Amino acid sequence: MSQREVFLAAQRTIALVLAGGRGKRLLDLTRSLSKPALAFGGKYRIIDFTMSNCVNSNIRKILVVTQYNSHSLLEHLQFGWTFLNGKFNEFIHVLPAQQSLESDAWYSGTADAVHQNVETLAARRPENVLVLAGDHIYKMDYRRFLEDHLEKDADLTIACLEVPLADAREFGVAQTDATGRIVSWVEKPLEPTPVPGRADLAFASMGIYLFKADFLYEQLARDAADPASSHDFGKDVIPYLVPRARVFAHRFERSHIRNMDKPPYWRDVGTVDAYWEANMDLTNVDPELNLYDYDWPIFTHQEQLPAAKFVHSGPHRNGVAISSLVSAGCIISGATVHRSLLSSKVRVHSHAYLHEAVVLPGADIGEHARLHRVVVDRDCRVPEGLVAGEDAAADAARFHRTPGGVTLISQRMLDNLQDGR
């Protein structure tokens, strides 16, 4: 298939981004906003990665379906994602959950979320529909995914990657024949089937689906009429389709944006540990995720902020950051920041010490505070002299300490601490 044919097919494809996820395992980090709206990497939101993949792949007809605590996400999309040109039929439209004669608005599953918006989708007359999750971190050229889909004349193509067998219990697991056609599918199996020849790996769905448009509409209508269905792609729609339709797997290694010799990068930052680890990776000399790739930029809304500032210089009071990412609007005032990530507008006051800390936008770290292996939620006011990350029992009593030994600090927890609760 020629590049021009793929280019034209991309123009006839609509991306539908499911961005209503609550992210309950992230606890207070998503208490007031949805998981796709959560800050990541200093200046981005999680949804920016999926959206940027669409734009960079020349898929510029994008519908974003929202639900849980969507205000922050809507504001971000409004301010940061209005640059597509309507003159060329490019758009990003947001579809909030809304009541209709046929539904009570709230989506019962991923397939139901698409079905409730099918009229808006069909009105655009796409040939193919790319269904995406808005809460994963990865860089992928969807044109290669589309090329596979078209060459195999698939009704549905599912992007898949190999994951450790122990982790596969959280995914849909596929088995394929020699042509890549999926012959078996189990959603979140207790005993995942390993990849042939690799007993330690399973072939798992990334939650990225490419449908022929008319086929999608038919299957959504069929599933909606099934009272026994939970109306979810992984649990209901795909298991029904595998023995009845042309369902193929696309290997992520074919379409991921390469970072030297690094393996394909895809992260579901759905727990505090996973979120901390993915942010910490960015502080490495040679991180697995390359944010400095100007051929595949990650777009976002950027506030008009001054440059980061490091002030005070003396034998006992230096403002320094080592092996760290420091975003615009930050002020490090006589403090030491080591192997940490500071989001926009963070202030770190004199004699504070941060090590392996992920600090979200607007947080203020008081004098003499010592924070190690922590995530500090947005707009927190960490009091003077607070110590976290050094005493596991004390951290668990005051904050939330994860199985991986990361301490989550939120303003709600700090308020409870001050109130003696």
Side-chain angles (χ1 to χ4, degrees):
M1 178 169 288
S2 72
Q3 292 302 304
R4 176 169 174 75
E5 288 175 309
V6 176
F7 174 83
L8 293 174
Q11 292 187 318
R12 296 190 291 266
T13 297
I14 283 185
L16 193 145
V17 181
L18 301 178
R22 182 174 179 179
K24 291 187 291 185
R25 294 178 298 165
L26 289 163
L27 307 171
D28 282 19
L29 294 177
T30 51
R31 189 180 181 89
S32 61
L33 46 73
S34 62
K35 182 182 171 188
L38 182 62
F40 181 85
K43 61 180 286 186
Y44 305 104
R45 305 289 188 103
I46 291 175
I47 196 172
D48 291 330
F49 290 83
T50 298
M51 300 289 283
S52 296
N53 288 336
C54 289
V55 171
N56 290 328
S57 300
N58 198 43
I59 295 176
R60 300 187 176 187
K61 300 177 179 68
I62 306 169
L63 302 175
V64 182
V65 178
T66 66
Q67 180 163 278
Y68 171 79
N69 270 349
S70 61
H71 175 74
S72 179
L73 179 62
L74 294 173
E75 191 175 68
H76 175 71
L77 295 173
Q78 178 185 357
F79 291 150
W81 286 92
T82 56
F83 55 84
L84 296 185
N85 196 332
K87 294 178 182 178
F88 300 107
N89 199 24
E90 300 175 352
F91 57 81
I92 294 172
H93 293 329
V94 178
L95 306 176
Q98 56 185 338
Q99 210 167 35
S100 69
L101 293 175
E102 291 78 22
S103 74
D104 58 3
W106 298 118
Y107 305 131
S108 58
T110 52
D112 183 54
V114 181
H115 181 252
Q116 288 198 38
N117 292 285
V118 75
E119 290 185 8
T120 301
L121 186 61
R124 299 288 176 177
R125 300 180 182 275
E127 291 183 2
N128 295 284
V129 177
L130 176 61
V131 180
L132 303 166
D135 57 359
H136 299 145
I137 307 295
Y138 65 108
K139 296 166 73 175
M140 178 178 179
D141 190 339
Y142 298 136
R143 288 170 297 192
R144 295 176 185 171
F145 184 29
L146 179 59
E147 184 177 17
D148 268 6
H149 178 73
L150 296 174
E151 286 183 343
K152 293 175 180 175
D153 190 29
D155 297 312
L156 163 62
T157 306
I158 303 171
C160 297
L161 77 169
E162 294 180 350
V163 302
L165 200 64
D167 297 338
R169 296 183 182 93
E170 300 300 318
F171 297 86
V173 174
Q175 288 184 283
T176 63
D177 64 16
T179 69
R181 187 165 182 167
I182 297 177
V183 296
S184 172
W185 174 276
V186 183
E187 181 73 4
K188 297 183 179 179
L190 293 177
E191 297 294 334
T193 302
V195 173
R198 290 296 306 270
D200 58 331
L201 297 174
F203 201 37
S205 166
M206 299 167 63
I208 299 174
Y209 313 122
L210 187 54
F211 287 90
K212 288 181 179 177
D214 291 340
F215 177 79
L216 173 63
Y217 308 150
E218 293 170 2
Q219 295 308 315
L220 289 175
R222 178 199 56 76
D223 179 74
D226 182 357
S229 175
S230 62
H231 311 302
D232 184 84
F233 282 118
K235 294 177 183 177
D236 307 290
V237 176
I238 295 172
Y240 176 87
L241 293 178
V242 164
R244 297 175 174 88
R246 293 181 59 79
V247 182
F248 285 81
H250 166 84
R251 290 187 171 273
F252 180 48
E253 57 261 34
R254 274 188 36 79
S255 55
H256 80 104
I257 303 305
R258 298 186 182 280
N259 178 16
M260 296 182 292
D261 59 347
K262 300 288 192 300
Y265 183 97
W266 180 89
R267 297 289 185 275
D268 178 359
V269 289
T271 66
V272 176
D273 279 331
Y275 179 74
W276 177 84
E277 289 169 3
N279 277 284
M280 277 295 97
D281 170 63
L282 299 174
T283 69
N284 293 330
V285 173
D286 191 10
E288 292 188 50
L289 176 64
N290 182 12
L291 295 179
Y292 298 86
D293 178 1
Y294 302 114
D295 293 327
W296 198 270
I298 305 301
F299 301 98
T300 190
H301 165 57
Q302 300 189 80
E303 294 184 69
Q304 300 304 309
L305 297 172
K309 184 177 182 180
F310 303 78
V311 292
H312 300 305
S313 175
H316 304 293
R317 192 182 181 206
N318 289 294
V320 297
I322 304 166
S323 299
S324 298
L325 275 70
V326 181
S327 303
C330 289
I331 299 177
I332 299 176
S333 177
T336 300
V337 177
H338 181 233
R339 196 171 182 259
S340 295
L341 183 146
L342 307 188
S343 303
S344 305
K345 298 188 291 187
V346 169
R347 294 201 173 195
V348 189
H349 295 277
S350 293
H351 308 292
Y353 178 71
L354 273 60
H355 180 225
E356 296 186 335
V358 176
V359 186
L360 273 60
D364 187 282
I365 313 298
E367 294 185 2
H368 297 281
R370 295 202 311 273
L371 305 179
H372 170 60
R373 203 175 172 87
V374 300
V375 176
V376 180
D377 198 8
R378 63 172 52 241
D379 297 325
C380 275
R381 296 295 176 262
V382 174
E384 179 178 346
L386 180 80
V387 178
E390 297 180 8
D391 185 324
D395 291 341
R398 298 174 299 166
F399 307 114
H400 175 81
R401 184 175 169 85
T402 71
V406 176
T407 301
L408 171 63
I409 301 173
S410 70
Q411 190 60 48
R412 180 185 65 84
M413 298 173 191
L414 291 170
D415 290 343
N416 289 343
L417 186 64
Q418 293 172 1
D419 293 341
R421 286 180 279 172

